[in-house]
Amino acid sequence: MRINIILNGRNIQAETAPDELLIDFVRKQGALSVKRGCETSNCGLCTVFLEDKPVLSCSVLAVRADGKRVTTLEGLKEEAEQFGAFIADQGAEQCGFCNPGFVMNALALFRENPDPDEEEIREYLAGNLCRCSGYEGQLRGIQAYLRWKKEAAAGRDTPPDKK
Amino acid sequence: MKTVGKPVRKKDAMQLLTGQPLYTDDIAPRDCLIVKLLRSPHASAVIRSIRRDIALKVPGIEAIYTWEDIPQDQRRFTLAGQTYPEPSPYDRLLLDRRVRYVGDPVAIVAGADERCVERALSLIKVEYEVQEPVLDFRKALDNPILVHPEENWESLCPVGADNRRNLCAHDESSHGDIEKVLSECDLVLDRVYHTKACQQTMMETFRTFCTLDAYGRLNVVSSTQIVFHCRRIIANALNIPKSMVRVSKPRIGGGFGAKQTSVCEIYPAFVTWKTKKPSKIIFTREESMTASTPRHEMEMHVRLGAMRDGRIRGIDLHTLSNTGAYGEHGPTTVGLSGHKSIPLYGKAEAFRFVSDVVYTNVMSAGAYRGYGATQGLFAVESAVNELAAQLHRDPFSVREQNMVREGDVMPAYYGQVNTSCALDRCLARVREMIGWEEKYPARDMGNGRVRGVGMGMAMQGSGISGVDVGSAALKLGEDGYYNLIIGAADMGTGCDTILAQIAAEVLDCGVEDIVVFGADTDASPYDSGSYASSTTYVTGKAVETCAVKLRRQICRLGARLLGCGEDETEFDGKYVRRISGEAKDGQGERAPQEKAAGSQRPDPCRRVSLQEIAAASMCGNEIPLQETVTHSSPISPPPFMVGAAEVEVDMQTGRTQVVNYAAVVDCGTPINPNLARVQAEGGIVQGIGMVLTENVTRDEKGRVLENSLMQYKIPTRLDVGSIRVEFENSYEKAGPFGAKSIGEVVINTPLPAITDAICNATGLRFRELPVLPEQIAMGLYTV
């Protein structure tokens, strides 16, 4: 069967099987940032936006996305770079395999709640597993990013280092 | 120092954070055959018959291989990535008529897509002659049922192995008369501790793709820590010359030792070799949890002898290790359980360490961060905590009294001298950080919850002494940048960057001027691989030495261009200068010369730029601006660490949370403090998982029940509380810029620290991990 989705702002018409998962569909379409870490909806690696809401693409059928907007990290390059710089400054990206899902969900958090406290951050991202970092570096990076955002909003803009 | 000791970003950080396609499955050819394995449902069986004719009719199926395609009398091999002569027994075949655990491969299926391969898997008809398995590792030794009865089982090293006894290895070592010392002690604690076959659980499961290259050679791209060992293992398995195999690794989605074993490479390698078509295998999470290479389950019997004043006089340790169905890393992991725990108590007069490693019909164990030291330290450190409790002594002060110090000879550490050690400073600092004075032993929070504190010490090695080989090649490129070519594998730890920092420090350039390439058996200089906490210490030293040598070559060519002798030149990273006689004779050497250069107009006859040298190297030149250095270390200087946990136990439900974890590490010089810190934080969280959530149980048939992330609970960010890590640096002369290792030592302290904290909070002593809420609740209920 054929479905239409808007993947990262681009109209796509493609064949899919009734049981094909969204993760496999978008990877086939070249969105290779989307990773699979389990088959049981536990790891959060495959997080994408479906109509701007974060979903686990391993737990959504591709046909469910028919006619809808799907966003992967490929479609959020600027935001990802801006936020990612703060994670990089902690060395918390480590192996990087969980990064796309983590960054997607973190960006979703910031959109939903621009000023989360530590508990809200931990809570919101609880479904994003990471085996390398121990989470602390990610937390430091998020907090540094939020501080920078606040300062930028207050007009004391110091752009993130893009070395 | 300009770059060493600086928290520079990982060179690949932004690529990873923006989700670039850099991992094995991202770069595999789209037309790869999909390879999957049919796995045994029985823990022990012999295949009576296997029918593939129906399965072969499924459209899209390319090939199905069974034991009938593999000469059963061919030389066996091991999947463990270890240096010659390999200590792990040669006990595997690509496909064996006998299956030895639930999950052992029975058939390899290759087809056009996942769907047809899955269909074919379900249509293969296998008739098994089911046999009684050996599932209890305590009953494996000299059991009449043999896991490896075959004639062509082979042990290459004198590790005390005997397949007729289900014995993968046996060893004994001692110093002093342990029985006599223990008999003289006021107090001998006699305790048994047990840890399970925990999973590394790197986020990227095992995966490999293979193609044939222009010369008909097998080109293997794999998520592996050990490209060179992997080449040998594949050649052994396929019975082909090693020259016909090339192995390289792209970015790796985590390893933790799991990828120090060639868990999946041999299957697509075989398919591509046979079919001449590209193929790939991607392990499911379930396969990664049930047919891989987890930590060795160990039972440790400790006898700890001490005097009433707290003086520890003797340690007697017997470790029983469960290697499972195959012997990967069996003979070596067990050694660390004693040799990297007992030496912490350097003042003891005697020790004895005896180990048995047994075969059973469960999944084979392998390498996991800590590699046996984690298990041994849980036992020895817990015993010392129990000793402190029994003597009504503060566990910190018992350590203070007994621990090894810099300059001590460590009899249980192969007699090596403790060349660099800040363990005393680590101990003092952790005590402050956790607030031990106020919190020890426990505080009732008044809401049904009690908080307890506990601590533990740890050590590890830095590479395998006299065994590990690290190499680096450096060459000067056209614009005056450098290529650093290594065979060590960055698995996310950041070794590409750390090694670049070391090179940059020596070459007086920026980290961005070093382009790193690794690892590829065709292109990289030989390196045993990234394991055993070896990369920074062993390969790092190779990089340092290599950069020093390349500096000399740069000066040589610079001197030729300047028309002077090599010893009349000096290189500051940008220019080779001709130095005047006075400056050369002076003690200040470089600094006054630089000042002079800054204050005067540069004289073209007196200096030549790195770019000019690089350009000159490509025209009519015979001075190579390229060096390769290989390094091995006769010693393995231990990094040290002290950790303390504050846990909160709900006395009704037994729910236990780590609220605070304080740790101080002595890794010598942290080359990159950010990356060292994240290593420590990540390791601590894996340790927390081992203590509180990560369980491994099997049903009566030997099937692992925790076969997904749904059941095997690695910590989430809600489970770990606040982790604070600091460093107390010693300086290790044998390491690059004083560095030792950090990758493994960091996982060890949570086990004794958290269990002791639980004991201080509840009065319940747990000697088997993990400690689950229901056990605490039931324990409290029984009390």
Side-chain angles (χ1 to χ4, degrees):
Chain A
M1 59 201 297
R2 252 183 132 61
I3 56 168
N4 285 292
I5 67 166
I6 304 159
L7 180 61
N8 296 323
R10 202 160 52 92
N11 258 306
I12 284 180
Q13 249 198 27
E15 277 300 315
T16 184
D19 59 351
E20 187 171 37
L21 298 170
L22 186 55
I23 180 175
D24 297 315
F25 181 84
V26 295
R27 275 188 68 90
K28 266 188 211 159
Q29 297 301 324
L32 293 170
S33 72
V34 185
K35 298 289 189 276
R36 176 186 262 119
C38 70
E39 300 93 37
T40 50
S41 316
N42 287 98
C43 70
L45 266 63
C46 64
T47 304
V48 302
F49 293 168
L50 185 58
E51 298 282 305
D52 295 326
K53 282 263 177 292
V55 296
L56 297 175
S57 62
C58 77
S59 306
V60 175
L61 291 172
V63 290
R64 281 265 182 204
D66 189 21
K68 296 196 169 123
R69 278 181 296 120
V70 176
T71 312
T72 69
L73 205 55
E74 282 87 351
L76 296 167
K77 201 161 181 294
E78 222 164 276
E79 266 179 280
E81 271 178 8
Q82 202 175 65
F83 167 60
F86 288 86
I87 300 298
D89 281 340
Q90 298 296 332
E93 73 287 348
Q94 289 290 295
C95 84
F97 205 70
C98 76
N99 287 186
F102 161 72
V103 172
M104 291 294 294
N105 221 17
L107 296 179
L109 164 66
F110 305 144
R111 288 175 182 192
E112 236 175 83
N113 177 1
D115 190 20
D117 63 22
E118 184 180 324
E119 209 181 315
E120 287 167 330
I121 296 168
R122 285 187 195 266
E123 184 76 35
Y124 196 97
L125 299 174
N128 291 91
L129 296 180
C130 168
R131 192 59 157 171
C132 297
S133 74
Y135 305 112
E136 290 282 339
Q138 293 185 347
L139 182 65
R140 284 192 296 273
I142 290 170
Q143 288 172 333
Y145 170 75
L146 291 170
R147 270 197 304 277
W148 172 74
K149 279 284 241 196
K150 256 190 205 168
E151 280 173 21
R156 294 188 303 273
D157 194 354
T158 37
D161 181 11
K162 278 188 187 172
K163 60 188 162 191
Chain B
M1 294 215 245
K2 285 189 208 131
T3 48
V4 162
K6 299 288 181 293
V8 301
R9 273 188 196 174
K10 260 175 65 193
K11 293 179 83 70
D12 53 0
M14 292 313 294
Q15 293 292 97
L16 300 182
L17 280 156
T18 52
Q20 302 309 308
L22 300 166
Y23 301 88
T24 305
D25 193 30
D26 303 339
I27 59 172
R30 287 288 177 108
D31 62 346
C32 271
L33 290 171
I34 301 298
V35 179
K36 284 185 179 290
L37 304 173
L38 180 69
R39 296 180 177 280
S40 165
H42 306 292
S44 178
V46 174
I47 298 166
R48 206 176 277 153
S49 71
I50 187 159
R51 277 191 59 190
R52 49 185 147 176
D53 50 336
I54 300 167
L56 273 168
K57 290 195 177 112
V58 175
I61 290 300
E62 176 80 21
I64 297 174
Y65 303 105
T66 71
W67 70 270
E68 290 157 321
D69 301 297
I70 308 295
Q72 297 292 296
D73 57 353
Q74 87 159 66
R75 190 173 190 198
R76 288 178 178 260
F77 58 90
T78 178
L79 295 180
Q82 293 182 289
T83 294
Y84 176 88
E86 296 157 89
S88 298
Y90 274 20
D91 56 10
R92 291 218 185 224
L93 292 172
L94 194 77
L95 290 168
D96 200 320
R97 188 170 191 183
R98 175 182 291 275
V99 286
R100 296 179 177 81
Y101 72 95
V102 177
D104 217 355
V106 170
I108 306 170
V109 180
D113 56 37
E114 208 148 315
R115 203 174 291 264
C116 74
V117 174
E118 294 281 3
R119 176 110 184 91
L121 282 171
S122 69
L123 292 171
I124 298 172
K125 294 277 170 275
V126 190
E127 214 187 312
Y128 295 95
E129 184 188 311
V130 180
Q131 302 188 341
E132 195 189 329
V134 187
L135 294 176
D136 183 350
F137 77 126
R138 297 174 186 93
K139 293 181 185 151
L141 187 60
D142 292 323
N143 194 304
I145 302 166
L146 293 180
V147 178
H148 284 278
E150 65 275 6
E151 290 301 321
N152 57 350
W153 177 94
E154 196 183 340
S155 170
L156 283 67
C157 275
V159 294
D162 184 352
N163 62 324
R164 297 276 147 197
R165 301 183 62 201
N166 283 334
L167 190 60
C168 175
H170 169 84
D171 197 23
E172 295 178 17
S173 61
S174 62
H175 172 80
D177 187 342
I178 185 71
E179 290 301 343
K180 181 167 173 288
V181 168
L182 289 181
S183 71
E184 291 164 7
C185 285
D186 293 338
L187 188 75
V188 178
L189 258 86
D190 191 319
R191 298 284 185 272
V192 176
Y193 301 89
H194 180 209
T195 59
K196 294 184 184 169
C198 290
Q199 282 284 344
Q200 299 88 348
T201 331
M202 61 285 160
M203 284 294 113
E204 182 197 39
T205 60
F206 301 96
R207 53 197 59 196
T208 301
F209 75 82
C210 300
T211 57
L212 289 188
D213 73 7
Y215 312 102
R217 298 160 72 229
L218 192 59
N219 181 19
V220 180
V221 178
S222 187
S223 184
T224 178
Q225 301 170 221
I226 42 153
V227 291
F228 286 98
H229 293 324
C230 198
R231 177 177 65 184
R232 177 186 61 243
I233 292 163
I234 290 167
N236 284 349
L238 272 55
N239 225 344
I240 59 175
K242 293 173 184 71
S243 62
M244 295 306 284
V245 184
R246 170 188 179 190
V247 182
S248 62
K249 64 109 208 157
R251 290 296 100 182
I252 304 175
F256 313 111
K259 295 168 184 173
Q260 195 199 336
T261 299
S262 293
V263 170
C264 73
E265 287 87 348
I266 57 174
Y267 307 107
F270 187 70
V271 167
T272 294
W273 190 249
K274 286 283 182 191
T275 63
K276 310 296 175 205
K277 292 181 180 175
S279 74
K280 76 172 177 186
I281 193 164
I282 310 273
F283 268 30
T284 62
R285 179 58 64 183
E286 185 178 343
E287 285 179 298
S288 278
M289 302 299 270
T290 56
S292 54
T293 180
R295 190 180 289 286
H296 285 80
E297 174 182 27
M298 288 187 191
E299 186 172 84
M300 290 140 295
H301 184 176
V302 188
R303 288 197 302 155
L304 180 71
M307 304 308 279
R308 239 173 271 290
D309 66 2
R311 185 159 54 96
I312 293 169
R313 293 188 56 197
I315 302 173
D316 187 18
L317 175 66
H318 177 262
T319 303
L320 177 67
S321 171
N322 183 2
T323 197
Y326 300 96
E328 274 88 22
H329 302 279
T332 38
T333 43
V334 77
L336 277 70
S337 73
H339 295 301
K340 293 201 170 128
S341 59
I342 298 169
L344 282 176
Y345 299 95
K347 293 182 175 50
E349 296 147 55
F351 85 89
R352 177 169 57 197
F353 171 44
V354 179
S355 58
D356 290 298
V357 185
V358 292
Y359 280 119
T360 59
N361 290 111
V362 301
M363 136 175 68
S364 168
Y368 178 7
R369 193 181 213 169
Y371 203 82
T374 311
Q375 296 94 310
L377 283 160
F378 170 55
V380 169
E381 283 299 279
S382 294
V384 174
N385 283 335
E386 291 198 48
L387 171 74
Q390 205 147 326
L391 293 171
H392 304 289
R393 284 275 302 276
D394 180 329
F396 273 92
S397 81
V398 172
R399 261 64 173 215
E400 179 77 20
Q401 183 181 359
N402 290 288
M403 72 187 170
V404 71
R405 287 170 197 268
E406 192 164 291
D408 288 354
V409 174
M410 301 178 284
Y413 198 62
Y414 320 104
Q416 197 181 302
V417 175
N418 194 11
T419 43
S420 54
C421 178
L423 187 57
D424 47 352
R425 282 182 272 144
C426 295
L427 196 71
R429 183 63 193 132
V430 165
R431 195 185 155 93
E432 279 171 26
M433 282 169 72
I434 197 78
W436 191 262
E437 216 56 64
E438 310 88 76
K439 292 176 179 170
Y440 176 73
R443 296 175 297 158
D444 192 328
M445 305 309 284
N447 55 357
R449 294 176 183 183
V450 177
R451 286 189 177 191
V453 287
M455 59 84 64
M457 305 197 302
M459 62 183 284
Q460 197 79 36
S462 299
I464 309 170
S465 48
V467 172
D468 281 341
V469 172
S471 299
L474 268 168
K475 58 181 178 185
L476 182 65
E478 207 164 334
D479 286 337
Y481 76 96
Y482 301 95
N483 288 102
L484 171 61
I485 304 144
I486 53 169
D490 192 333
M491 58 190 121
T493 52
C495 79
D496 285 358
T497 307
I498 288 161
L499 297 174
Q501 283 179 262
I502 292 171
E505 187 67 46
V506 178
L507 292 163
D508 276 314
C509 65
V511 179
E512 64 283 358
D513 296 323
I514 312 276
V515 176
V516 186
F517 173 85
D520 179 336
T521 54
D522 274 9
S524 303
Y526 180 81
D527 194 293
S528 359
S530 288
Y531 59 86
S533 291
S534 63
T535 303
T536 300
Y537 175 75
V538 181
T539 308
K541 192 71 186 175
V543 171
E544 185 195 350
T545 314
C546 188
V548 169
K549 284 183 125 181
L550 185 60
R551 275 189 79 103
R552 228 173 283 151
Q553 291 301 95
I554 291 168
C555 284
R556 263 183 78 191
L557 187 51
R560 175 171 295 185
L561 297 174
L562 291 168
C564 66
E566 190 192 329
D567 54 351
E568 291 173 78
T569 61
E570 190 176 69
F571 177 51
D572 67 1
K574 289 195 173 69
Y575 297 96
V576 170
R577 293 169 206 278
R578 183 174 182 171
I579 43 174
S580 62
E582 308 95 81
K584 203 176 76 177
D585 294 336
Q587 291 298 313
E589 285 174 27
R590 205 184 308 173
Q593 188 61 26
E594 271 173 2
K595 247 184 237 161
S599 60
Q600 294 163 10
R601 283 183 78 83
D603 176 356
C605 301
R606 298 197 62 86
R607 71 172 202 185
V608 56
S609 74
L610 189 60
Q611 285 83 352
E612 289 169 301
I613 294 171
S617 77
M618 289 177 287
C619 180
N621 169 48
E622 50 211 16
I623 298 173
L625 291 184
Q626 176 166 340
E627 286 286 351
T628 303
V629 165
T630 294
H631 177 70
S632 186
S633 175
I635 57 168
S636 175
F640 294 96
M641 179 162 174
V642 180
E646 180 180 12
V647 304
E648 183 172 272
V649 183
D650 184 317
M651 302 299 272
Q652 291 292 307
T653 62
R655 182 167 187 265
T656 300
Q657 285 224 289
V658 175
V659 275
N660 279 302
Y661 203 95
V664 182
V665 189
D666 162 22
C667 59
T669 304
I671 303 287
N672 184 321
N674 267 2
L675 297 180
R677 176 181 309 280
V678 175
Q679 280 296 304
E681 291 165 346
I684 288 166
V685 167
Q686 280 182 323
I688 291 173
M690 260 192 93
V691 188
L692 292 178
T693 55
E694 296 175 32
N695 202 8
V696 179
T697 53
R698 299 186 186 91
D699 67 9
E700 70 286 350
K701 285 186 144 180
R703 224 181 344 230
V704 175
L705 298 178
E706 291 78 9
N707 62 5
S708 74
L709 296 183
M710 190 88 82
Q711 285 105 336
Y712 188 80
K713 301 308 287 183
I714 65 169
T716 73
R717 66 192 79 220
L718 292 173
D719 301 322
V720 294
S722 160
I723 299 165
R724 283 169 303 141
V725 174
E726 291 185 8
F727 294 89
E728 284 290 343
N729 303 345
S730 61
Y731 191 91
E732 174 49 53
K733 286 196 190 90
F737 298 99
K740 298 189 280 189
S741 81
I742 187 156
E744 293 185 277
V745 69
V746 292
I747 198 172
N748 298 329
T749 61
L751 287 68
I754 294 172
T755 46
D756 203 43
I758 291 171
C759 185
N760 286 332
T762 62
L764 300 169
R765 173 67 63 185
F766 292 94
R767 300 189 184 89
E768 181 183 79
L769 300 181
V771 184
L772 301 171
E774 54 266 37
Q775 294 169 320
I776 296 175
M778 289 308 288
L780 288 169
Y781 178 76
T782 315
V783 172

